[in-house]
Amino acid sequence: MKLPSVQQVLQASSRTFFRFPVVLLNALVGTAVALILADHDGPSRPTVLFNILFATILGIPFLSALALTSEKKKWGKPASLGSLTAAVLLLATYATTIPADLDGAPGFHLLRLVMLAAAVHFLVAFAPFTGKGELNGFWHYNKAICLRFITAFLFSMVLYAGLAIALAALDNLFGMEIPAKRYFELWIFIGGIFTTWFFLAGVPDDLDALEGSTDYPKVLKIFAQYILLPLVLVYLVILYAYVGKILIEWSWPRGWVSGLILGYGTTGMLLLLLLHPIRDRAENAWVKSASRWFYISLVPLVVMLFLAMYRRIAEYGITEGRYIGVVLAIWLAAMTIYFLASKTKNIKVIPGSLCGMALMMSFGPWGAFHVSESSQVERLRILLEQNSILADGKVRVAPDSVSFADNRQISSIIGYLHDVHGYDRIQLWFGESLKEDTSWIGTKAKDPALVVKMMGLDYVAVWQDGGDGNINLSADRGGIADVAGYDRMVRSQYIGGINLKKSFSAEEVAYWVNPDLDTLTFVSSPAGKPVDSVRIGLRPLVDRLLEEYANLGARDIPPGKMSVEAADAGMKVRLYLKSLQIRRRDGDVKLISYEAEILYTIRRSP
């Protein structure tokens, strides 16, 4: 095989740019914005760059779909420019929904980005072939772009690995001090520019000619017949054995089985899609029969899937994950009915329906986010009213003891709202603001532990049983630590397991920790001078943190509250704990590990 010359590569790159100019300009803008954000040091600040970044992430597949559809449908310049203008306006409108202070914003913005990204990628799969017929062209088009994507990804990984090793060589051999963030920036550049450009260069030029294509890679049949088919059969045996177990024991299906059913349905459909072009060949007559029996086998499994989802929602309400699970169950049921009843069995309905479904879930009062938030807020209202914590629309301190189960559910909902939606829907219940104004990094929602404490309760993690379990505490990484009065700092020391001792010969200091991890001894031993040591007990600090944050796996604790200090005549030492893991069992509290910055100063008499 003759390798392309540099001139041929440049010509191909130029053709790709003129074929997809708007897509590549979008990728250039998005990559530049991502590099600026990655290069930023210090605390996060509100910026319009996140709005641009999110829009350009969606813009690459969305604008590619429009460009390919315009080619396939032979749109004139007015129609092409009109669709492009509408697409840019849609992306700009979406960008306005992204908060400038993304660091302190609810997590549903990221979840929505994932849903919309899935929708526009499915759009690329079917948009150029939305007309009647051309099923063979549609299949070969998707085969081409899937194989090109895999190739682009592999090439990008190799290129990144090679250049990252080159940077490491410059750092280690020539002492050029390459910052760690340069490796991440390199990955952004390769992923944003090289991968996009390389992928688009391999998209078939003549989409109309694909309808007459008859080539079928042998590796696809091997993959489908000897990898996917055995997997489908394994799933089928396990799932039907479980159906038998349910019928014998007459019990509800567990929620975990939902993923396995969806996995079975997805793997089976992928198998049939890969074999679609050769299903009419004499040696592959079994494919049509297998297709029908596959969808028949899905019928009882879809029923079990709905039962499993119903039980989970009845107990814990709707969240985004459960909402998606229900929608996928409905989709799987619809695909089963369609491919059993339809005569045409048009495979275009698979990506088309998934695209529409992802779009439907992303916005509106029917969408995953509004429905989930409403469900959890309603659950919280009922729990608080049942325990006399919410009365006349206002929260008050719990007048009576609250059961551990209710306390855990209340804590779980508050934690969910904090992470995904924020507290806007429950703010009216409280007289005090549920936001922390940190001014220099924006406004963030209060930690769930503090909100639960306002109700007179202790935060209980959802996995805890009767108050036992592991507790994870961490300091606010954007907070300011007081370093006044200290001369040196030992950075980021992980203490736990076997990491109980460390020395720094250049500075003539060392520390060691007792096996229980609750006492750290810091030592200064300069040559020819008396040894100074300071013992720091962590137990009082741990007790204070547990008293204030109860059972919480708390985040963003002010650095001052995660610090402890000790001194003697010649030395002063302060520990700033960045994170702390504690195990509580049967009333006994044990330190598991912690990460700390150690500040110290030495004052010796001449």
Side-chain angles (χ1 to χ4, degrees):
M1 182 179 67
K2 185 179 179 181
L3 295 176
S5 65
V6 174
Q7 184 179 4
Q8 289 174 318
V9 171
L10 292 175
Q11 288 175 348
S13 300
S14 177
R15 285 197 303 271
T16 303
F17 180 81
F18 287 107
R19 186 184 179 192
F20 300 101
V22 180
V23 180
L24 290 173
L25 287 173
N26 174 91
L28 287 168
V29 171
T31 302
V33 168
L35 289 173
I36 294 171
L37 290 170
D39 194 59
H40 174 71
D41 291 320
S44 172
R45 293 183 182 277
T47 173
V48 72
L49 294 179
F50 283 115
N51 307 68
I52 299 173
L53 177 63
F54 276 41
T56 53
I57 288 173
L58 296 180
I60 293 175
F62 187 30
L63 296 171
S64 298
L66 281 179
L68 291 169
T69 303
S70 177
E71 279 187 9
K72 183 69 173 64
K73 304 293 185 182
K74 310 260 185 319
W75 291 347
K77 284 189 176 180
S80 297
L81 289 174
S83 64
L84 176 62
T85 302
V88 172
L89 289 175
L90 279 173
L91 291 171
T93 301
Y94 166 71
T96 62
T97 68
I98 307 302
D101 178 24
L102 191 63
D103 183 58
F108 76 85
H109 294 287
L110 288 173
L111 294 175
R112 176 175 288 159
L113 174 66
V114 172
M115 287 184 184
L116 290 174
V120 290
H121 278 86
F122 285 124
L123 184 67
V124 174
F126 79 93
F129 289 85
T130 49
K132 292 183 179 180
E134 293 189 296
L135 291 183
N136 188 58
F138 167 78
W139 188 92
H140 281 279
Y141 161 74
N142 277 278
K143 180 207 72 175
I145 61 175
C146 285
L147 292 178
R148 187 65 179 184
F149 176 80
I150 294 171
T151 305
F153 177 76
L154 292 176
F155 278 34
S156 298
M157 291 293 291
V158 173
L159 179 61
Y160 172 75
L163 292 177
I165 292 172
L167 286 179
L170 292 175
D171 192 346
N172 290 280
L173 299 180
F174 297 96
M176 295 184 66
E177 297 184 6
I178 307 296
K181 64 183 178 181
R182 296 289 178 254
Y183 295 91
F184 180 52
E185 290 168 0
L186 174 63
W187 174 246
I188 291 174
F189 181 81
I190 291 175
I193 304 299
F194 173 80
T195 306
T196 304
W197 212 307
F198 185 83
F199 169 78
L200 292 174
V203 175
D205 293 321
D206 189 354
L207 299 182
D208 290 327
L210 294 175
E211 179 62 20
S213 180
T214 58
D215 66 296
Y216 184 83
K218 189 175 181 179
V219 67
L220 285 184
K221 184 176 181 181
I222 293 173
F223 176 69
Q225 196 164 333
Y226 298 105
I227 302 296
L228 291 184
L229 181 58
L231 283 176
V232 169
L233 293 176
V234 168
Y235 283 163
L236 182 64
V237 171
I238 293 173
L239 287 169
Y240 267 85
Y242 186 63
V243 169
K245 179 176 179 290
I246 289 175
L247 293 176
I248 292 172
E249 297 180 354
W250 203 244
S251 60
W252 280 93
R254 296 180 181 179
W256 192 86
V257 77
S258 304
L260 196 60
I261 295 173
L262 291 173
Y264 171 72
T266 304
T267 306
M269 285 187 185
L270 178 59
L271 167 66
L272 296 174
L273 285 173
L274 291 178
L275 296 173
H276 182 78
I278 58 173
R279 70 196 187 286
D280 293 325
R281 297 180 185 178
E283 67 272 21
N284 299 308
W286 63 271
V287 174
K288 288 187 177 181
S289 177
S291 175
R292 179 169 181 78
W293 281 107
F294 165 72
Y295 286 107
I296 291 174
S297 73
L298 272 176
V299 174
L301 298 181
V302 168
V303 173
M304 185 166 64
L305 176 59
F306 276 109
L307 291 175
M309 295 303 303
Y310 170 78
R311 182 181 182 184
R312 194 73 176 167
I313 291 172
E315 290 178 347
Y316 303 109
I318 300 174
T319 60
E320 282 74 13
R322 291 170 202 143
Y323 182 99
I324 293 171
V326 170
V327 172
L328 286 175
I330 294 172
W331 175 80
L332 195 59
M335 291 299 99
T336 300
I337 294 170
Y338 173 79
F339 282 103
L340 284 175
S342 171
K343 293 182 179 179
T344 58
K345 295 178 173 46
N346 191 334
I347 58 175
K348 297 179 189 178
V349 302
I350 295 176
S353 59
L354 286 171
C355 175
M357 184 176 67
L359 284 174
M360 178 200 72
M361 292 190 295
S362 301
F363 291 100
W366 57 82
F369 307 111
H370 185 272
V371 171
S372 299
E373 184 182 21
S374 297
S375 173
Q376 295 302 317
V377 168
E378 179 62 15
R379 283 186 65 230
L380 180 61
R381 183 190 65 78
I382 293 172
L383 284 167
L384 295 182
E385 288 181 347
Q386 287 176 345
N387 289 280
S388 302
I389 298 173
L390 182 65
D392 299 324
K394 295 296 179 183
V395 163
R396 57 179 179 172
V397 174
D400 302 308
S401 61
V402 176
S403 69
F404 180 80
D406 283 357
N407 193 352
R408 182 166 55 183
Q409 288 200 55
I410 291 169
S411 300
S412 174
I413 297 171
I414 293 295
Y416 162 81
L417 293 175
H418 172 273
D419 293 341
V420 182
H421 297 283
Y423 298 133
D424 290 347
R425 293 280 293 273
I426 62 172
Q427 176 61 73
L428 291 176
W429 298 353
F430 295 81
E432 181 182 342
S433 174
L434 299 182
K435 291 184 177 180
E436 291 183 351
D437 186 7
T438 52
S439 63
W440 60 292
I441 59 172
T443 302
K444 298 192 296 184
K446 283 185 176 178
D447 198 283
L450 301 178
V451 177
V452 172
K453 201 170 189 67
M454 293 165 67
M455 305 174 190
L457 304 174
D458 290 335
Y459 188 97
V460 179
V462 68
W463 40 260
Q464 287 182 239
D465 181 14
D468 288 345
N470 288 358
I471 303 164
N472 298 297
L473 308 175
S474 61
D476 183 354
R477 298 300 173 112
I480 297 176
D482 183 10
V483 299
Y486 296 93
D487 298 328
R488 295 283 190 274
M489 179 170 68
V490 181
R491 298 294 305 275
S492 297
Q493 297 300 296
Y494 173 79
I495 298 169
I498 62 173
N499 299 315
L500 303 181
K501 183 185 297 186
K502 193 167 185 179
S503 61
F504 304 88
S505 56
E507 297 293 330
E508 299 178 320
V509 297
Y511 69 80
W512 61 79
V513 184
N514 69 332
D516 290 334
L517 306 186
D518 57 6
T519 302
L520 182 143
T521 303
F522 194 85
V523 176
S524 170
S525 55
K529 293 186 179 181
V531 174
D532 284 331
S533 65
V534 173
R535 296 183 65 189
I536 302 177
L538 277 75
R539 182 65 61 175
L541 172 64
V542 171
D543 291 341
R544 287 197 304 271
L545 289 171
L546 288 177
E547 181 179 355
E548 181 166 359
Y549 293 97
N551 296 321
L552 171 69
R555 296 154 293 183
D556 298 333
I557 299 173
K561 291 186 177 182
M562 294 277 285
S563 69
V564 59
E565 183 183 57
D568 69 1
M571 186 164 55
K572 182 170 66 171
V573 179
R574 176 183 286 269
L575 262 63
Y576 276 108
L577 300 183
K578 299 168 68 174
S579 62
L580 174 64
Q581 186 179 36
I582 306 163
R583 177 180 298 154
R584 180 159 55 191
R585 183 170 296 164
D586 298 328
D588 181 49
V589 174
K590 179 177 176 56
L591 277 67
I592 304 301
S593 66
Y594 49 91
E595 184 183 3
E597 313 272 16
I598 306 174
L599 279 65
Y600 69 94
T601 187
I602 301 172
R603 297 285 183 262
R604 298 186 187 278
S605 300

